[in-house]
């Protein structure tokens, strides 16, 4: 028996009903939230693997949509209101929250969510209000994050290659952003298979072409991109 769509609709009692977006262009503040809180319900009931599965499904739904590469989440140019009920506001909106959680950590992320809700309870809000709440809770400026994920179409599409420098005991990693919708500035985790464990390293990808030298204790047998699934992306890795 599936719980759908019960967690999604229950989440709307907080995000959508109690706190309502002031404009249809900010629809993600209800539908993205309800979609992500449904995924959080799955995480609570079935563990982190269920959350990762939920978000992978959301990514697939969004990336396969005809508007995925051409329209942003906040899209004043899309004036037909029913057309806004699309995976950009639902699934990509959920991913905006998931990535924000990954960047800020659980404590600051959920503190920001509660601050946003308590401030605008029984009222209306816009995306800037949510951004202000998250900045206040985390102490981080989030202009770049909100601009690229909500006002810019698409997602980062990475072509990645790596090689091992035996003399320096370093993995040399090259990451190219190949999307045509604009560059993204995002942290990324790389997992290097070293003997029987994953050596995790966090890098930041900002440019069209990015080079990294990553010291490791021994030559890795493989490299995994974003193994815990915190980044909405496409990635092709060539060893």
């Amino acid at each position: 028996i599936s719980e759908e769509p019960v967690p999604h609709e229950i989440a709307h009692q907080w995000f959508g009903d109690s706190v309502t977006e002031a404009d249809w262009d900010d629809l993600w503040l209800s539908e993205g939230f309800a979609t992500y809180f449904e995924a959080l319900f799955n995480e609570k009931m079935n563990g982190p693997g269920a959350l990762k599965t939920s978000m992978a499904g959301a990514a697939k739904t969004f990336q396969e949509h005809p508007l995925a590469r051409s329209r942003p989440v906040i899209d004043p140019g899309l004036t037909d209101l029913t057309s806004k009920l699309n995976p950009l506001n639902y699934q990509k909106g959920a991913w905006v929250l998931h990535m924000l959680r990954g960047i800020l950590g659980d404590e600051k992320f959920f503190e920001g969510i509660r601050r946003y809700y308590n401030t605008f309870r029984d009222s209306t809000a816009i995306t800037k209000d949510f951004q202000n709440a998250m900045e206040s809770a985390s102490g981080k400026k989030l202009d770049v994050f909100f601009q690229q994920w909500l006002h810019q179409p698409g997602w980062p599409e990475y072509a990645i290659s790596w090689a091992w420098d035996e003399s320096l005991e370093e993995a040399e990693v090259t990451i190219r952003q190949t999307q045509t919708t604009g560059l993204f500035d995002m942290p990324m985790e790389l997992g290097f298979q070293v003997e029987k464990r994953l050596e995790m390293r966090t890098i930041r990808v900002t440019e069209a072409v990015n080079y990294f030298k990553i010291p490791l204790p021994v030559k890795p047998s493989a490299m995994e991109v974003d193994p815990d699934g915190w980044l909405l992306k496409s990635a092709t890795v060539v060893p």
Side-chain angles (χ1 to χ4, degrees):
I1 299 174
S2 172
E3 296 91 355
E4 295 180 2
V6 175
H8 182 105
E9 300 306 331
I10 289 176
H12 274 317
Q13 294 186 41
W14 288 267
F15 304 103
D17 297 342
S18 182
V19 179
T20 305
E21 62 274 14
D23 191 286
W24 270 83
D25 289 338
D26 292 298
L27 180 62
W28 83 280
L29 290 175
S30 58
E31 297 303 349
F33 272 64
T35 302
Y36 190 53
F37 274 69
E38 180 180 352
L40 292 180
F41 171 81
N42 288 336
E43 179 185 28
K44 180 69 174 179
M45 296 299 294
N46 302 303
L51 173 65
K52 186 176 178 180
T53 298
S54 293
M55 297 314 297
K60 185 174 187 292
T61 298
F62 159 66
Q63 289 170 337
E64 291 180 350
H65 193 267
L67 299 179
R69 285 188 173 90
S70 61
R71 312 295 300 208
V73 173
I74 297 178
D75 190 2
L78 189 61
T79 57
D80 177 52
L81 299 185
T82 57
S83 295
K84 290 182 180 292
L85 297 168
N86 61 43
L88 283 76
N89 280 297
Y90 285 74
Q91 283 80 12
K92 189 177 183 181
W95 262 99
V96 170
L97 294 174
H98 187 57
M99 290 185 289
L100 197 55
R101 178 185 173 190
I103 290 171
L104 300 182
D106 278 12
E107 180 181 354
K108 296 301 183 184
F109 174 76
F110 287 110
E111 179 185 340
I113 293 289
R114 293 185 181 97
R115 184 171 302 197
Y116 166 68
Y117 176 76
N118 289 330
T119 301
F120 296 98
R121 180 179 179 179
D122 300 326
S123 184
T124 60
I126 61 173
T127 296
K128 186 62 177 176
D129 296 322
F130 175 61
Q131 179 181 335
N132 288 342
M134 300 308 290
E135 289 182 340
S136 178
S138 66
K140 294 179 180 290
K141 294 297 292 181
L142 298 169
D143 287 331
V144 172
F145 178 88
F146 276 80
Q147 173 63 36
Q148 65 190 4
W149 285 109
L150 294 171
H151 298 275
Q152 177 176 310
W155 64 92
E157 300 177 51
Y158 300 119
I160 303 173
S161 60
W162 69 281
W164 177 249
D165 188 318
E166 190 70 47
S167 62
L168 297 176
E169 297 185 322
E170 294 177 336
E172 298 179 338
V173 181
T174 302
I175 301 178
R176 292 176 169 83
Q177 297 196 51
T178 62
Q179 71 277 0
T180 60
T181 53
L183 297 177
F184 287 81
D185 176 354
M186 286 295 290
M188 175 193 292
E189 285 194 328
L190 300 177
F192 294 90
Q193 189 67 46
V194 175
E195 296 172 343
K196 295 183 179 181
R197 68 183 186 278
L198 269 184
E199 287 271 349
M200 302 296 296
R201 298 291 188 273
T202 301
I203 58 175
R204 190 166 197 98
V205 179
T206 61
E207 306 296 333
V209 183
N210 307 261
Y211 302 100
F212 303 94
K213 293 181 177 292
I214 301 174
L216 292 166
V218 297
K219 180 181 179 179
S221 58
M223 184 187 76
E224 190 173 348
V225 179
D226 184 34
D228 294 323
W230 287 103
L231 178 57
L232 177 59
K233 66 188 181 304
S234 301
T236 302
V237 180
V238 180

